[in-house]
Amino acid sequence: MAQGGTRPSSVDAPEQVPGLLKLLLLLLFRPVDLHYRLRAAGIRVPGARLGTLCREQSEGDRATAVYVRRMLLLLLVGAPVVTQVLGLALVTAGLPLERGWVLSALFCSAVGLLVAQVLGLAAGVLLGSLSSLATLLGLHATAADAFGPELGGVAGMVVGVCLGSVAGLACGSISGIAIGRGPSVVRVQMAAILASLTPMLLWSGTTNPSYAGAVAASALVAFLVSAFRLPLYALEVLASAVAYAVERWTGRPTLGWVPVRHHNLSYLPHPFLGRHLALAVRSRPAEVLAVADACLRSPGNIVVGWPWVVQALESASPEGAREPRA
């Protein structure tokens, strides 16, 4: 698959740019698919900086103009509105928040706009939007002593979880939309160490060591959990099992349900997929190949995707006697 490069000047398909909600969902869960969809729409480098995309827009690229406009709406309108709604919900539920959380959301959007100029539009939208939400607990709730003393261990853990979750979630999505693949396990681990050392260095000289240590440790764990999408994996295992069971016992086609087609950033292999492919390979080889292609975009399945297909094709042949093992 091509990584980067330029597009033919005749390609300009703004109708292929997803709508606001779908754009956000693709950015979070299927950034690799979004990368190639935007490339097909005529956007040369979907992960480019805002200035670069604006120059393409000024040259008459309608797809780029639509993409930039929708991403800025997510950052400058969507994120502050959602943050304010969530903040009101937390206050109504009785969680104290330090005053100024509305302005803090707007500040995060402004910082995201600055990041978009330096690191890329997608990076700015993700970091600005996620930070806007994270500041409710990581800044305003802790400052209001909602989790005990502001510089206590529990408060430090909450701050670290917010920092690590924002960085971890953004890590895979930024890489996926920028280069068309998720970051390697080694890169995720290195980024996690950096995400934990940074707050440790920032706070170690100005606060008590226990608070700085709590922030660093919780940031490290939260980064790894969110970057590897571990909470989603439990749901993916369940979805894989249900999809396989339904097709095996009812005959209803369910390959479209398999999680690998709906999430590009799973770092663990999905169970039952090999057996599921074996059920469908005789009657729906095109769907089997589509699943194999999706495996190539998933870090946890990239190595085993095509071997599963080979095993399934062998089992579909007259000589095949057994289902492939997952």
Side-chain angles (χ1 to χ4, degrees):
M1 285 182 269
Q3 312 288 341
T6 60
R7 57 154 173 79
S9 58
S10 60
V11 177
D12 189 15
E15 67 278 1
Q16 293 191 34
V17 179
L20 280 176
L21 180 58
K22 189 170 184 179
L23 181 62
L24 177 61
L25 293 175
L26 289 174
L27 193 59
L28 289 172
F29 298 105
R30 294 170 56 195
V32 179
D33 292 338
L34 180 59
H35 170 90
Y36 290 104
R37 178 166 176 170
L38 295 175
R39 289 282 305 277
I43 300 172
R44 298 186 184 99
V45 186
R49 292 179 293 180
L50 179 58
T52 301
L53 293 170
C54 286
R55 281 195 296 273
E56 288 189 29
Q57 177 181 344
S58 66
E59 294 171 0
D61 294 349
R62 296 174 300 155
T64 303
V66 172
Y67 173 60
V68 170
R69 182 166 62 250
R70 290 176 181 171
M71 290 288 273
L72 291 180
L73 279 173
L74 287 175
L75 174 63
L76 302 178
V77 178
V81 168
V82 172
T83 302
Q84 291 179 37
V85 171
L86 180 59
L88 289 173
L90 293 175
V91 171
T92 303
L95 186 74
L97 293 178
E98 188 74 7
R99 294 173 59 185
W101 50 272
V102 175
L103 294 178
S104 179
L106 298 176
F107 175 76
C108 287
S109 294
V111 171
L113 195 61
L114 179 63
V115 173
Q117 294 281 9
V118 178
L119 298 180
L121 177 59
V125 170
L126 282 166
L127 292 173
S129 301
L130 294 174
S131 297
S132 178
L133 296 170
T135 54
L136 290 175
L137 296 179
L139 176 62
H140 296 280
T142 53
D145 291 340
F147 310 105
E150 184 179 350
L151 297 181
V154 176
M157 291 177 62
V158 173
V159 172
V161 166
C162 291
L163 290 174
S165 298
V166 168
L169 282 174
C171 173
S173 293
I174 292 172
S175 175
I177 194 171
I179 62 176
R181 63 174 181 269
S184 66
V185 172
V186 173
R187 289 184 180 274
V188 171
Q189 292 171 336
M190 292 174 60
I193 294 172
L194 180 62
S196 64
L197 288 179
T198 301
M200 172 69 83
L201 295 175
L202 289 176
W203 275 300
S204 60
T206 57
T207 62
N208 60 76
S210 62
Y211 177 80
V215 173
S218 55
L220 176 64
V221 173
F223 187 102
L224 292 173
V225 168
S226 56
F228 290 131
R229 311 293 177 102
L230 296 183
L232 277 179
Y233 186 67
L235 298 177
E236 290 172 340
V237 170
L238 177 61
S240 295
V242 170
Y244 171 65
V246 168
E247 178 149 353
R248 180 172 183 179
W249 298 111
T250 70
R252 178 180 177 181
T254 57
L255 265 184
W257 300 2
V258 294
V260 74
R261 299 191 66 174
H262 307 285
H263 183 212
N264 296 151
L265 297 174
S266 180
Y267 281 80
L268 295 172
H270 297 158
F272 306 106
L273 187 53
R275 295 183 176 93
H276 199 166
L277 289 170
L279 292 177
V281 70
R282 288 189 178 93
S283 58
R284 304 190 311 280
E287 282 191 69
V288 171
L289 293 177
V291 173
D293 183 63
C295 288
L296 293 177
R297 303 177 183 218
S298 172
N301 300 288
I302 190 170
V303 175
V304 292
W306 282 103
W308 275 338
V309 172
V310 171
Q311 291 177 348
L313 291 173
E314 288 176 350
S315 72
S317 67
E319 295 79 10
R322 296 185 304 169
E323 287 184 349
R325 292 176 295 175

